[in-house]
Amino acid sequence: SSSPVSCWPAWSRSPACWRAEVTTLANAIRDAASRLPGDAARLEAELLLAHAMQRPRSWFYAHASDVLD
């Protein structure tokens, strides 16, 4: 019998663990906002991601369910 694949620690994850971690654009923004301080955390998360992805913030609303690579 084969042993289960270890998905911890994160830096040593095998390809078998990669599919289990599907992140949508909306989830990425929500997660980033939860890590930022202040009342404008969501706005800051969107602005940072917009800059990194070279997209306008409005694009996120049209593509919220897109899966990030």
Side-chain angles (χ1 to χ4, degrees):
S1 122
S2 64
S3 62
V5 175
S6 173
C7 293
W8 184 256
W11 52 265
S12 67
R13 289 185 183 161
S14 72
C17 300
W18 296 346
R19 287 195 182 273
E21 294 185 22
V22 174
T23 301
T24 63
L25 188 54
N27 288 343
I29 292 170
R30 190 177 307 115
D31 182 51
S34 73
R35 297 167 190 257
L36 295 170
D39 295 334
R42 172 140 183 134
L43 172 62
E44 291 179 14
E46 289 178 3
L47 291 171
L48 287 167
L49 194 56
H51 177 75
M53 294 182 70
Q54 298 180 344
R55 301 277 185 186
R57 282 180 52 225
S58 60
W59 187 84
F60 297 151
Y61 295 99
H63 297 272
S65 62
D66 286 5
V67 175
L68 297 177
D69 293 335

